[in-house]
Amino acid sequence: MAIDYTVIVVYLAGMLAMGWWGMRRAKSKSEFLVAGRRLGPAMYSGTMAAIVLGGASTIGGVGLGYQYGLSGAWMVVTIGLGLLALSVFFSARIARLKVYTVSEMLDLRYGGRAGVISGVVMWAYTLMLAVTSTIAYATIFDVLFDMNRTLAIVLGGSIVVAYSTLGGMWSITLTDMVQFVVKTVGVLLLLLPIAVVKAGGFSEMKAELPTEYFDPLGIGGETIFTYVLIYTFGMLIGQDIWQRVFTARSDRTAKWGGTVAGTYCLAYAVAGAVIGTAARVLYPKLGSADDAFATIVKDELPVGVRGLVLAAALAAVMSTSSGALIACATVANNDIWSRLRGAVRADAEAHDEVKGNRAFILLMGLAVIGTAIALNNVVEALTVAYNLLVGGLLVPILGGLLWRRGTVQGALASVVVGGVAVITLMATHGILANEPVYYGLLSSLAAYIAVSLMTRPTDAAVLAAWRERLAGRAPELVSEPVPAPQ
């Protein structure tokens, strides 16, 4: 394992080095939080694919393939479909808004007063997303070093917190590009063909497994529908995803770069399901489906290659973890803390903004590590996060983009009613039940439409400013000098 250890250590050291390099570039709020809004198509596509394809998509995607066969691809497929829908229909408008958070968008659209409440919901979502990614370190480091769970979480989490705190979005962008390459080589180009060959090829796999393993809908229509509600719609409104859209150099980059990333997600989904199916042939009696990835890597790959593929798993986890962490800190600082303090900083204080956001990343990072140590169930934590996001924020966000008659009162009612419905139904039906997101979303929609129609339309001046912002003819909320690309 010495060679494998060397590969992993070099990879982790590289992540820290890029964090240090990114710190030298992040001199303003725009550069620290959204990489100066200067990413071109290649970097944008790579970093967007990296953040959406995390540990759940890699380790969990292989596990679903082990459990259900090819239809196990549906979870990651719905993530890819959500990213495609965001990129084709909404990303250009989102990029032209020149904001930093989803809550700022809601304030612009509805004329204020929606930011703090929506910020709290978005903060809870991003925090739990970061926690679930951090918990996944325990699985990987257990395979690598037979490491204690708590120590594994502290080690992996500390590395992500370190490079994210140092350089913000610039560091995360640079590390995500490396992680994208490592995932592509490790999972698609190495693990996928090796797993299929070790399992005897597709003909042997079909001979060994029941026919339902090769049924595209074998996982069940209700499960697929739930994945669409949670993950496809979740991709449309998550702060972690929007913050990457804000990094695009132009609305064209956001649209076409995101389309490429979404298409990549579809290929990654199929690869994970095929690897999991191959693992079922090789190891038909694993104790847990989520052990499939680690087992096939540990037992079937040659020295060196094994280290690279485990580095790919680390890359998947770290990209999502760092993206969720900076999103969580951005919301906590800009949407909650600053609003509660009533703080409005001038352009001249932009460097202090960097220090403030850096401090919040460190603070949120420590909270994430502590919460990850306390929690055990990754699936339940992730389900809570997405149920709150979709049930509470999907309707007011998409309603603001698509329905002119929506009002701030309707938006606030939608967030509160949908959020309360989701929490109540999770308490009564169970966290993993489908009812919370189904009825939470319906109640949120009903409240939004009813209250909007019963209240005065949004002020014409607010809507006019909103249209100017959507058209890209208005400046940023806080203008900052943007250096020319180098």
Side-chain angles (χ1 to χ4, degrees):
M1 293 286 288
I3 296 176
D4 295 327
Y5 291 161
T6 302
V7 172
I8 298 296
V9 170
V10 168
Y11 167 77
L12 294 176
M15 296 299 99
L16 292 173
M18 289 184 183
W20 183 262
W21 189 84
M23 181 178 67
R24 302 175 61 186
R25 297 187 63 120
K27 301 299 185 183
S28 69
K29 178 180 178 180
S30 177
E31 290 176 331
F32 190 82
L33 294 182
V34 290
R37 308 188 194 274
R38 291 191 289 148
L39 297 192
M43 290 193 74
Y44 179 84
S45 298
T47 57
M48 182 62 87
I51 188 176
V52 301
L53 296 174
S57 300
T58 304
I59 299 171
V62 171
L64 287 172
Y66 182 89
Q67 190 172 359
Y68 297 105
L70 298 186
S71 66
W74 273 105
M75 183 186 77
V76 185
V77 164
T78 56
I79 290 173
L81 292 176
L83 184 52
L84 285 171
L86 174 72
S87 302
V88 172
F89 298 113
F90 299 108
S91 63
R93 282 182 283 179
I94 293 171
R96 288 195 293 266
L97 289 174
K98 303 296 184 186
V99 295
Y100 292 100
T101 67
V102 175
S103 295
E104 286 181 4
M105 168 263 167
L106 291 173
D107 278 351
L108 282 171
R109 167 59 181 83
Y110 295 112
R113 293 184 290 170
V116 174
I117 294 177
S118 61
V120 170
V121 176
M122 189 64 75
W123 173 80
Y125 156 72
T126 53
L127 178 71
M128 295 310 294
L129 184 62
V131 166
T132 56
S133 301
T134 303
I135 292 174
Y137 296 127
T139 300
I140 300 170
F141 283 114
D142 178 57
V143 175
L144 281 172
F145 309 116
D146 193 24
M147 186 179 291
N148 172 271
R149 177 182 182 275
T150 299
L151 182 59
I153 289 173
V154 171
L155 175 60
S158 297
I159 293 171
V160 170
V161 171
Y163 72 69
S164 300
T165 301
L166 286 173
M169 187 60 81
W170 266 124
S171 295
I172 293 171
T173 296
L174 296 170
T175 54
D176 276 359
M177 276 306 297
V178 174
Q179 290 159 357
F180 170 73
V181 173
V182 171
K183 280 192 287 191
T184 301
V185 174
V187 175
L188 295 183
L189 302 184
L190 293 176
L191 182 58
L192 174 61
I194 290 173
V196 172
V197 170
K198 291 284 186 177
F202 285 104
S203 59
E204 182 66 20
M205 291 163 63
K206 288 183 177 180
E208 290 287 331
L209 297 173
T211 55
E212 55 264 27
Y213 266 71
F214 301 92
D215 180 359
L217 302 178
I219 198 170
E222 184 178 357
T223 299
I224 295 171
F225 180 66
T226 302
Y227 283 160
V228 170
L229 282 184
I230 294 176
Y231 297 112
T232 301
F233 287 156
M235 288 295 106
L236 297 180
I237 58 174
Q239 169 67 26
D240 53 324
I241 309 302
W242 278 41
Q243 199 155 343
R244 295 310 172 98
V245 175
F246 299 151
T247 66
R249 185 167 59 199
S250 65
D251 52 7
R252 181 178 177 84
T253 296
K255 180 176 182 178
W256 295 111
T259 302
V260 171
T263 304
Y264 177 90
C265 290
L266 301 182
Y268 200 87
V270 175
V274 171
I275 293 167
T277 305
R280 184 75 180 202
V281 174
L282 295 167
Y283 312 99
K285 296 182 179 181
L286 287 178
S288 170
D290 284 340
D291 293 337
F293 180 87
T295 303
I296 196 169
V297 169
K298 189 174 183 179
D299 293 350
E300 302 298 336
L301 298 186
V303 173
V305 173
R306 179 170 51 206
L308 182 59
V309 173
L310 286 172
L314 269 178
V317 174
M318 285 186 166
S319 56
T320 299
S321 181
S322 59
L325 176 59
I326 193 172
C328 179
T330 302
V331 170
N333 187 21
N334 292 268
D335 292 337
I336 301 175
W337 176 244
S338 293
R339 292 168 190 261
L340 292 176
R341 291 175 56 211
V344 180
R345 294 179 174 87
D347 292 357
E349 297 179 285
H351 189 69
D352 290 336
E353 288 267 16
V354 173
K355 290 182 179 178
N357 282 290
R358 183 174 282 133
F360 264 87
I361 290 180
L362 179 59
L363 180 64
M364 291 298 106
L366 294 175
V368 164
I369 292 172
T371 307
I373 292 171
L375 292 179
N376 287 312
N377 196 313
V378 178
V379 175
E380 288 192 358
L382 192 62
T383 302
V384 170
Y386 273 100
N387 281 351
L388 284 172
L389 177 71
V390 174
L393 290 180
L394 177 69
V395 170
I397 292 172
L398 293 189
L401 289 169
L402 300 174
W403 192 39
R404 180 175 177 174
R405 186 61 181 81
T407 67
V408 66
Q409 294 88 350
L412 289 172
S414 179
V415 173
V416 173
V417 171
V420 170
V422 164
I423 293 171
T424 302
L425 289 168
M426 283 193 295
T428 57
H429 289 72
I431 290 175
L432 298 179
N434 293 326
E435 286 82 0
V437 70
Y438 291 172
Y439 296 113
L441 190 55
L442 287 174
S443 61
S444 177
L445 178 61
Y448 181 70
I449 294 174
V451 175
S452 291
L453 292 176
M454 289 189 296
T455 52
R456 294 179 58 185
T458 304
D459 186 85
V462 172
L463 287 177
W466 167 252
R467 286 193 294 270
E468 287 293 303
R469 180 71 63 136
L470 276 180
R473 293 191 293 265
E476 291 189 40
L477 293 178
V478 178
S479 58
E480 295 174 346
V482 179
Q486 297 178 359

